């Protein structure tokens, strides 16, 4: 079983839609949870960082962590064409990092 | 804050030559840097973990003699692809670890596209 599971998509939504991206994990030692956005031929960009269970909001983005279910989500409200990218979840024990395979998102104007 | 740069952004070389890629943390010091490679439409593949002042730790299947990593200072790590061949053509990305909110997270460079002819 992989440490981190992420649905690769692709996911295609109309502009303005709410997007939900998800990852599950198996290692209860993960303490820190991150979401990165990667545009084609660019390095990943850190979007959100969370530590505890619950929600964290930053503009149109909300990161949600449910440690009891070992499940994290990233919600994008009012999605824009510029949100079209690959989204990677990442988790850390504090010493080791694990990445999901990424979900490809296309927002159609 | 937490900006990581890579140089060059794109390099084309002949088969058999060596190519050096630099990764710099511009506004913070990083004791740990990572090197990844990524093929088109595929996920990141960790190649090695680079710690300042010590030898790099390579992932299984990565040839340490082919991919030389030097972490000479707290702001610079280099990856040298020796005797490059067309199958080494890929997108190479580094990341640097920086403390944030009491712990560490990775900040990525913009990547280097290597094309070996």
């Amino acid at each position: 079983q992989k440490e981190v599971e992420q649905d690769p998509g692709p996911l295609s939504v109309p502009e303005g839609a709410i997007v939900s991206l998800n990852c599950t994990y198996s290692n209860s030692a993960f303490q820190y949870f991150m979401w990165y956005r990667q545009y084609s031929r660019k390095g990943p960009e850190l979007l959100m960082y969370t530590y505890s269970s619950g929600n964290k909001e930053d503009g149109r983005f909300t990161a949600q962590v449910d440690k009891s279910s070992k499940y994290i989500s990233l919600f994008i409200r009012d999605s824009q064409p510029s949100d079209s990218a690959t989204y990677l979840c990442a988790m850390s024990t504090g010493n080791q990092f694990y990445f999901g395979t990424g979900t490809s998102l296309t927002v159609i104007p | 804050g937490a900006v990581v740069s890579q140089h060059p952004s794109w390099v084309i070389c002949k088969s058999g030559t060596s190519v050096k890629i630099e990764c710099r943390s511009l506004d913070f010091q990083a004791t740990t840097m990572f090197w990844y490679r990524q093929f088109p439409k595929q996920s990141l593949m960790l190649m090695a973990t680079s710690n300042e002042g010590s030898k790099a730790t390579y992932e299984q299947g990565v040839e340490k003699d082919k991919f030389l990593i030097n972490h000479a200072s707290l702001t610079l790590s280099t990856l040298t692809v020796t005797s490059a061949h067309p199958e080494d053509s890929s997108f190479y990305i580094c990341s640097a670890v920086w403390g944030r909110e009491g712990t560490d997270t990775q900040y990525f460079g913009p990547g280097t596209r290597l094309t070996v002819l």
Side-chain angles (χ1 to χ4, degrees):
Chain A
Q1 184 183 11
K2 286 183 180 178
E3 298 275 1
V4 180
E5 299 274 2
Q6 182 175 10
D7 186 340
L11 185 61
S12 184
V13 301
E15 183 175 355
I18 296 175
V19 176
S20 172
L21 304 167
N22 311 294
C23 287
T24 59
Y25 62 96
S26 56
N27 189 346
S28 57
F30 288 140
Q31 300 180 54
Y32 314 108
F33 305 89
M34 292 144 279
W35 285 96
Y36 291 86
R37 176 176 63 195
Q38 185 178 23
Y39 292 111
S40 181
R41 295 180 176 177
K42 299 288 184 185
E45 169 195 9
L46 181 66
L47 274 181
M48 299 288 284
Y49 169 89
T50 55
Y51 171 69
S52 58
S53 282
N55 294 350
K56 182 176 182 180
E57 190 173 317
D58 184 0
R60 295 185 295 111
F61 298 91
T62 300
Q64 188 176 79
V65 174
D66 182 347
K67 287 187 174 182
S68 62
S69 302
K70 297 188 176 66
Y71 188 89
I72 70 170
S73 300
L74 178 70
F75 298 97
I76 307 174
R77 290 186 300 280
D78 187 25
S79 57
Q80 302 294 309
S82 58
D83 296 328
S84 298
T86 297
Y87 290 81
L88 297 155
C89 65
M91 307 179 189
S92 168
T93 61
N95 295 314
Q96 292 187 314
F97 296 86
Y98 295 85
F99 287 86
T101 52
T103 300
S104 175
L105 170 68
T106 300
V107 180
I108 302 167
Chain B
V3 178
V4 177
S5 70
Q6 275 183 251
H7 178 79
S9 56
W10 190 4
V11 56
I12 301 173
C13 69
K14 292 183 178 180
S15 186
T17 61
S18 294
V19 174
K20 182 186 282 189
I21 302 170
E22 291 186 350
C23 176
R24 293 183 184 273
S25 55
L26 298 186
D27 51 1
F28 65 100
Q29 293 182 328
T31 54
T32 302
M33 291 184 174
F34 296 93
W35 286 96
Y36 297 83
R37 67 188 298 182
Q38 187 176 37
F39 293 105
K41 297 189 178 181
Q42 293 191 20
S43 61
L44 298 169
M45 290 172 47
L46 179 64
M47 298 176 66
T49 302
S50 168
N51 289 297
E52 187 266 339
S54 62
K55 290 184 178 180
T57 302
Y58 291 81
E59 295 300 301
Q60 194 172 8
V62 177
E63 299 176 59
K64 60 179 70 174
D65 294 331
K66 180 166 188 62
F67 298 101
L68 301 179
I69 291 172
N70 184 13
H71 195 152
S73 75
L74 289 172
T75 59
L76 173 64
S77 176
T78 60
L79 168 68
T80 302
V81 183
T82 61
S83 186
H85 288 92
E87 58 266 29
D88 298 324
S89 298
S90 188
F91 193 54
Y92 292 87
I93 310 173
C94 72
S95 72
V97 178
W98 182 61
R100 173 188 173 97
E101 297 182 14
T103 187
D104 298 338
T105 193
Q106 291 187 44
Y107 292 86
F108 286 87
T112 296
R113 185 157 35 131
L114 171 63
T115 302
V116 185
L117 302 176

